[in-house]
Amino acid sequence: GAGVSQSPSNKVTEKGKDVELRCDPISGHTALYWYRQRLGQGLEFLIYFQGNSAPDKSGLPSDRFSAERTGESVSTLTIQRTQQEDSAVYLCASSLGRGETQYFGPGTRLLVL
Amino acid sequence: SQKIEQNSEALNIQEGKTATLTCNYTNYSPAYLQWYRQDPGRGPVFLLLIRENEKEKRKERLKVTFDTTLKQSLFHITASQPADSATYLCALERSNDYKLSFGAGTTVTVRA
């Protein structure tokens, strides 16, 4: 069974452009999380999806950030009008359910010029 | 505000020695504390979880302690090997929550 996959692995964009990051969770995992990891810092929670429940968006840093998930499968994180401070690694994780071990993808490295 | 601090310095040790990493937290009451390993260019990989009512947990060459009075966890890698070289992250979780709060990590390098 494949692990969590993310695409693209690297993304370079110009300030002001929109970007879309994709996460494919492990099959059967109902919970999905997005985190941001800035250089030299700990992971910051962004958003959490659990089944068909309303997502917990409490970690999104601004209204430029949004995420969607189709059922219990793919999720996309969208950053509109990117800023240089958005440069970071964006990590996705999935788990069997709330409070279960989280399995992380390799991340998408975003660089905003 | 909540704060999670790990060894600020990178840890360089000789193969065969024990590496000891610290994770200190303030303004937080975690029910669980987890340790992850992260290799360059990869996502974190779960290693161990210890609950607030547990003092110590072991897994192969790894040992974790959790002192809720001192608000500290220690992570030990015994008989270290060059393959143990990586960044180790501690993460805290409340009992009524599922979001993990991570420290910045400590980079360990084991010399052959």
Side-chain angles (χ1 to χ4, degrees):
Chain A
V4 177
S5 60
Q6 293 187 244
S7 61
S9 52
N10 293 281
K11 176 74 178 178
V12 180
T13 190
E14 293 178 347
K15 178 181 170 181
K17 301 279 189 184
D18 297 351
V19 295
E20 199 171 271
L21 313 179
R22 177 187 168 109
C23 172
D24 281 272
I26 294 172
S27 177
H29 280 194
T30 60
L32 187 146
Y33 313 75
W34 282 98
Y35 293 87
R36 177 170 71 178
Q37 187 175 30
R38 288 179 163 143
L39 192 64
Q41 298 185 25
L43 280 70
E44 303 169 67
F45 166 80
L46 297 178
I47 188 168
Y48 163 73
F49 295 90
Q50 171 62 61
N52 294 318
S53 303
D56 177 351
K57 305 179 182 180
S58 61
L60 295 178
S62 77
D63 59 8
R64 296 187 295 104
F65 287 72
S66 63
E68 291 186 353
R69 187 181 187 193
T70 309
E72 293 185 354
S73 60
V74 173
S75 174
T76 55
L77 176 70
T78 301
I79 308 173
Q80 296 178 308
R81 305 181 301 282
T82 52
Q83 304 294 313
Q84 288 181 331
E85 62 262 29
D86 298 335
S87 296
V89 177
Y90 290 83
L91 290 157
C92 173
S94 71
S95 67
L96 282 170
R98 178 175 170 148
E100 300 288 335
T101 299
Q102 297 183 28
Y103 295 85
F104 284 82
T108 293
R109 280 145 201 81
L110 175 67
L111 178 61
V112 182
L113 300 176
Chain B
S1 62
Q2 300 168 14
K3 213 169 183 181
I4 302 168
E5 292 184 325
Q6 297 188 239
N7 306 52
S8 56
E9 302 289 328
L11 204 57
N12 290 287
I13 60 170
Q14 185 70 39
E15 182 176 10
K17 301 291 186 184
T18 296
T20 298
L21 285 64
T22 62
C23 176
N24 296 293
Y25 58 93
T26 55
N27 297 321
Y28 207 106
S29 297
Y32 310 102
L33 191 146
Q34 304 182 29
W35 284 89
Y36 286 77
R37 169 183 173 138
Q38 187 172 25
D39 290 282
R42 297 183 169 246
V45 174
F46 171 78
L47 294 175
L48 278 167
L49 177 149
I50 187 165
R51 294 177 170 78
E52 61 178 335
N53 60 353
E54 296 177 314
K55 296 290 185 188
E56 183 178 299
K57 204 84 172 272
R58 290 174 186 261
K59 179 182 175 183
E60 298 172 351
R61 294 182 295 107
L62 307 178
K63 184 178 92 170
V64 172
T65 62
F66 194 10
D67 189 325
T68 54
T69 302
L70 290 179
K71 296 187 183 294
Q72 181 183 76
S73 174
L74 298 179
F75 178 81
H76 305 273
I77 308 171
T78 59
S80 61
Q81 304 169 358
D84 295 327
S85 299
T87 296
Y88 293 86
L89 309 170
C90 74
L92 279 60
E93 181 183 354
R94 294 189 187 89
S95 60
N96 62 347
D97 205 350
Y98 40 75
K99 291 172 279 195
L100 294 175
S101 297
F102 283 84
T106 299
T107 299
V108 174
T109 302
V110 181
R111 303 187 307 275

